[in-house]
Amino acid sequence: MLKVAVYSLTSCQGCLMNIVMALGSAVERLAKLVDVEYFKLVKEIYSDEEIVPVNIAFIEGAAVCEKDVKKLKAIRDNCRILVALGTCASTGGVGYYGSRRAKDFKEPKIVRYIEGEPLSSIVYVDYELRGCPVTFSEFMETLSKLIKGIIPRPIDYHVCMECKEKGIPCLLDRGIPCLGPITMGGCGAPCPSIGIPCYGCRGPALETDFDNYVNMLREKGISLQRIIESIEVFMGRKAREWREKYGNIY
Ligand code: SF4
Ligand code: SF4
Ligand code: SF4
């Protein structure tokens, strides 16, 4: 059986908790599929610092300090397939947002923070499983494919596509800022379904035409400032790019 490990870097552990809470009696089902060598909060037979050789490693969280970077590289050296678990690991996400602000803390400087970039900016990542948090079903679906030797294809559509398929009236038409056009789909658009705008928790879509998005907002009379503020939280490195381009013009 394939050996699997699930680790955390700096994170809120929300992805892990979401999976662990849903695991429940499915722990036995998981144990029939793979040898779980390390699974934070489920099977911690090694110290948090110890990295075990496995076939598949999942990593939650962003690398926001040198300790994280060292651990990430050690995990990469000890696995065949590496999966970024969640939006923080995939895009920097909240980890990126938080680390940018943590750098501004005056005292105490116990840890030297770096910007929480995507894991893929430091090591090779085989697959990015988005979500804040990742859902149990997507985690199991990904694991099942990997067990069969299949690396899942990245989701190549936006939240808007799922929203339109469900026939949900567009919030932008009511002047409500929504990040659906620039956010990776796969969630089924639960937020717009209940009248809440997409906040981009799955991070940027594979292909985003931000210029076009900005023009569309302007046509609908939506403040660019509100959008620039909202992209900061989940869009990681992309937010920096977009802010640098548009941040000075509102
Ligand atoms: S992706 Fe969201 S839930 Fe997962 S670790 Fe990051 S902030 Fe927490
Ligand atoms: S409500 Fe949001 S996600 Fe839905 S179509 Fe409009 S912009 Fe896209
Ligand atoms: S609609 Fe947007 S904010 Fe809501 S779950 Fe999907 S990606 Fe996240």
Side-chain angles (χ1 to χ4, degrees):
M1 259 200 294
L2 295 181
K3 294 182 190 303
V4 171
V6 183
Y7 298 101
S8 279
L9 300 180
T10 298
S11 73
C12 77
Q13 304 211 336
C15 288
L16 264 176
M17 282 307 293
N18 216 32
I19 294 166
V20 171
M21 300 277 278
L23 256 181
S25 57
V27 169
E28 286 175 14
R29 182 155 65 94
L30 186 68
K32 283 181 188 155
L33 293 174
V34 289
D35 277 335
V36 178
E37 292 291 304
Y38 181 90
F39 196 148
K40 194 167 173 62
L41 304 175
V42 175
K43 188 179 181 189
E44 298 194 33
I45 53 171
Y46 301 92
S47 83
D48 202 31
E49 302 304 311
E50 201 163 349
I51 306 302
V52 284
V54 289
N55 301 94
I56 306 165
F58 291 85
I59 307 181
E60 173 206 59
V64 304
C65 59
E66 293 304 332
K67 190 177 163 201
D68 282 339
V69 173
K70 200 172 152 206
K71 184 172 172 181
L72 171 61
K73 287 181 176 169
I75 296 169
R76 177 68 273 186
D77 288 345
N78 280 281
C79 70
R80 199 165 56 80
I81 305 287
L82 179 62
V83 180
L85 185 68
T87 302
C88 284
S90 302
T91 74
V94 176
Y96 174 81
Y97 181 65
S99 60
R100 277 172 51 82
R101 267 133 197 86
K103 285 202 308 188
D104 298 335
F105 291 165
K106 298 283 180 274
E107 296 293 340
K109 284 260 188 291
I110 300 165
V111 177
R112 194 167 65 81
Y113 288 101
I114 56 175
E115 282 192 347
E117 297 276 357
L119 301 189
S120 61
S121 68
I122 301 167
V123 296
Y124 180 75
V125 171
D126 294 276
Y127 184 62
E128 293 177 343
L129 177 51
R130 303 283 187 93
C132 181
V134 162
T135 63
F136 179 64
S137 57
E138 281 190 90
F139 171 73
M140 288 304 283
E141 203 181 306
T142 303
L143 182 59
S144 304
K145 284 188 179 157
L146 294 174
I147 290 170
K148 291 177 195 149
I150 303 164
I151 305 279
R153 287 166 63 89
I155 290 170
D156 59 359
Y157 50 87
H158 304 77
V159 173
C160 285
M161 200 177 121
E162 295 174 304
C163 200
K164 289 191 168 106
E165 270 174 8
K166 290 185 170 176
I168 299 163
C170 184
L171 294 164
L172 291 178
D173 291 340
R174 287 162 47 201
I176 300 172
C178 180
L179 296 183
I182 54 171
T183 301
M184 182 177 279
C187 58
C191 305
S193 306
I194 54 168
I196 298 172
C198 172
Y199 284 98
C201 83
R202 291 174 75 89
L206 282 189
E207 295 201 6
T208 47
D209 187 342
F210 197 68
D211 293 342
N212 191 31
Y213 179 56
V214 167
N215 288 336
M216 187 165 66
L217 294 178
R218 286 192 172 130
E219 278 168 20
K220 292 180 186 296
I222 297 173
S223 146
L224 180 57
Q225 181 178 0
R226 287 180 70 185
I227 294 293
I228 294 289
E229 283 164 5
S230 60
I231 57 173
E232 295 266 9
V233 184
F234 292 110
M235 294 292 172
R237 185 197 293 174
K238 271 284 179 198
R240 183 175 63 202
E241 214 177 276
W242 292 333
R243 197 182 51 251
E244 279 170 6
K245 185 164 183 191
Y246 287 97
N248 297 326
I249 61 173
Y250 59 76

